[in-house]
């Protein structure tokens, strides 16, 4: 064919035939340690270490086992963790009293983690479901539905307790309306508003991909489901309104959860609020799927492609159980 018939502006391959050129074509998609946050499960028994059967290479730790495990990861560059408390002897009751009890494993661990890892960013998940007898994320009326005001008050109390114990970030995963304002007001009243950030699980959907987590945490609802407070999977509109609500109430960071099936919501939220760092939570079901997607090399390739797509969609930080593997991949690179 004569060159006369080639349209120069339609010749793209000259722009990405080389690895460095390809990197230049993928702006803002690099994966560095500060772009990932590692969720960790904390048991009451300080010397325990239990494998999570539904999540290969994921463990539930007592603090005496978590610290050595984190020492290795911090050496490899780990920058932040998200802490989930699990109670086995502390009681579960209708208002989640154990969530902020002095014996709560999160409350007890925070000072020790602050001392052991002065540079590590400590975020705490704030929710009632691991601590309530009914397994819901809020307080219920006698008719078994979410009681809004007591739920917000209780979530704010728990967030404040974690802030006082040493959390740098409190991350309410409950999805109650107005809990961001409740938490922010509590931080301000206690002079902590400029030492503790609020990471809102703003766009969290009623997904079927939380199963392995709920098994690990024993945090499934005893009755009903969470569809009346987690967002309907098909609603981009509610996601936009939830993000706007939380920004207006003072959220420092926003989140979309789950991740991969909701990248359109990630892009929507990043475009809606470009100045708020945006987190993705790559949930337990996503972790299980990728973990079973092939041999170790295939898992690594699929994982890094997934993370690149999450960053391309607008995520600034990805909460992922793959953090140890990602750190080792980054080190190899
Ligand atoms: O990895 C996961 O599946 C995360 C599950 C998530 C933790 N923030 C919540 C989902 C759920 O069980 O509804 C826990 C709710 N507080």
């Amino acid at each position: 064919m004569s060159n006369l018939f080639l349209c120069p502006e339609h010749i793209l391959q000259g722009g990405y035939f080389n690895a460095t050129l390809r990197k230049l074509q993928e702006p803002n998609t690099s994966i560095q340690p500060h772009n990932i946050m590692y969720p960790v499960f904390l048991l009451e028994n300080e010397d325990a270490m239990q494998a999570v059967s539904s999540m290969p290479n994921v463990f539930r730790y007592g603090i005496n086992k978590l610290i050595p495990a984190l020492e290795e990861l911090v050496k490899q560059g780990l920058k932040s963790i998200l802490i989930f408390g699990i109670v086995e002897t502390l009681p579960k009751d209708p208002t989640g009293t154990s969530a902020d009890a002095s014996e709560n494993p999160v409350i007890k661990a925070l000072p020790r983690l602050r001392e052991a890892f002065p540079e590590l960013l400590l975020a705490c998940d704030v929710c009632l479901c691991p601590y309530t007898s009914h397994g819901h994320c809020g307080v219920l009326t006698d008719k078994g539905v979410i009681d809004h005001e007591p739920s917000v008050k209780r979530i704010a109390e728990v967030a404040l307790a974690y802030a006082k114990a040493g959390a740098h970030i409190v991350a309410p995963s409950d999805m109650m309306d107005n809990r961001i304002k409740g938490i922010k007001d509590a931080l301000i009243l206690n002079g902590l508003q400029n030492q503790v950030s609020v990471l809102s699980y703003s766009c969290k959907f009623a997904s079927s991909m939380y199963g392995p987590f709920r098994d690990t945490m024993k945090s499934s609802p005893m009755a009903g489901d969470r569809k009346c407070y987690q967002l309907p999977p098909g609603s981009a509109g509610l996601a936009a309104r939830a993000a706007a609500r939380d920004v207006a109430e003072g959220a420092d960071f926003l989140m979309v959860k789950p991740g991969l099936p909701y990248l359109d919501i990630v892009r929507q939220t990043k475009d809606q609020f470009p100045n708020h760092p945006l987190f993705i939570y790559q949930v337990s079901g996503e972790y299980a799927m990728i973990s079973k997607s092939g041999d170790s090399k295939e898992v690594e390739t699929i994982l890094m492609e997934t993370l690149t797509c999450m960053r391309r969609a607008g995520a600034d930080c990805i909460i992922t159980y793959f953090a140890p593997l990602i750190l080792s991949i980054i080190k190899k690179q």
Side-chain angles (χ1 to χ4, degrees):
M1 174 190 288
S2 148
N3 278 352
L4 289 178
F5 293 97
L6 296 181
C7 307
E9 62 277 22
H10 293 178
I11 304 296
L12 303 182
Q13 294 171 4
Y16 60 92
F17 65 87
N18 161 290
T20 302
L21 289 178
R22 286 191 287 275
K23 276 290 162 222
L24 290 170
Q25 301 281 4
E26 298 176 298
N28 309 315
T29 60
S30 65
I31 306 294
Q32 301 303 321
H34 70 274
N35 298 122
I36 58 173
M37 177 180 270
Y38 184 34
V40 294
F41 299 114
L42 200 53
L43 293 165
E44 287 178 77
N45 177 344
E46 298 193 342
D47 296 311
M49 182 170 166
Q50 301 165 358
V52 176
S53 56
S54 53
M55 299 171 77
N57 303 315
V58 171
F59 296 85
R60 304 184 339 165
Y61 294 97
I63 184 63
N64 293 340
K65 291 290 193 309
L66 178 61
I67 287 176
L70 289 177
E71 272 162 0
E72 269 315 297
L73 295 174
V74 168
K75 276 187 202 140
Q76 291 182 42
L78 183 68
K79 294 292 182 246
S80 65
I81 62 174
L82 176 61
I83 306 166
F84 291 89
I86 300 172
V87 291
E88 293 170 303
T89 63
L90 287 173
K92 293 193 176 187
D93 64 19
T95 58
T97 308
S98 298
D100 53 353
S102 57
E103 287 307 300
N104 180 287
V106 179
I107 301 262
K108 292 173 68 178
L110 279 164
R112 291 188 56 187
L113 290 168
R114 285 288 291 256
E115 184 188 358
F117 308 107
E119 298 309 310
L120 187 63
L121 191 65
L122 305 178
C124 289
D125 181 84
V126 175
C127 198
L128 300 185
C129 61
Y131 308 103
T132 48
S133 43
H134 45 69
H136 280 281
C137 302
V139 176
L140 304 183
T141 67
D142 54 11
K143 292 188 172 49
V145 297
I146 290 291
D147 198 345
H148 177 241
E149 203 169 322
S151 295
V152 171
K153 180 173 177 296
R154 191 72 195 99
I155 288 289
E157 287 168 355
V158 175
L160 179 61
Y162 295 170
K164 286 180 173 176
H168 296 111
I169 298 176
V170 289
S173 62
D174 58 295
M175 287 302 285
M176 300 303 138
D177 284 324
N178 310 130
R179 89 271 205 217
I180 301 301
K181 183 180 186 317
I183 293 170
K184 212 70 181 183
D185 286 350
L187 293 175
I188 292 166
L189 275 174
N190 289 270
L192 292 169
Q193 69 275 27
N194 55 356
Q195 300 158 54
V196 179
S197 299
V198 180
L199 162 56
S200 175
Y201 283 68
S202 41
C203 309
K204 172 176 175 180
F205 292 87
S207 171
S208 53
M209 295 182 195
Y210 303 143
F213 175 95
R214 292 181 179 176
D215 293 344
T216 306
M217 293 285 292
K218 305 284 181 276
S219 61
S220 295
M222 299 311 257
D225 54 39
R226 296 183 174 146
K227 293 180 180 175
C228 59
Y229 46 92
Q230 295 175 351
L231 302 179
S235 180
L238 278 171
R241 292 166 62 192
R245 173 199 62 197
D246 293 353
V247 165
E249 294 183 7
D252 298 287
F253 310 113
L254 302 175
M255 188 194 305
V256 175
K257 173 185 174 186
L260 200 56
Y262 296 83
L263 292 190
D264 59 322
I265 304 297
V266 174
R267 176 41 56 197
Q268 167 183 291
T269 309
K270 195 63 187 173
D271 290 348
Q272 186 184 9
F273 294 107
N275 301 318
H276 278 70
L278 179 60
F279 287 62
I280 280 181
Y281 197 132
Q282 183 181 49
V283 299
S284 54
E286 295 176 85
Y287 177 84
M289 284 190 280
I290 293 178
S291 296
K292 297 185 176 88
S293 63
D295 63 28
S296 58
K297 182 111 186 66
E298 286 159 332
V299 167
E300 282 190 19
T301 306
I302 290 166
L303 170 61
M304 294 314 282
E305 179 182 343
T306 302
L307 298 179
T308 299
C309 293
M310 290 177 164
R311 292 275 285 130
R312 185 201 65 233
D316 299 296
C317 189
I318 298 148
I319 300 167
T320 174
Y321 304 102
F322 283 114
L325 176 57
I326 297 163
L327 290 170
S328 69
I329 294 170
I330 293 172
K331 205 171 167 72
K332 274 191 289 188
Q333 285 171 350

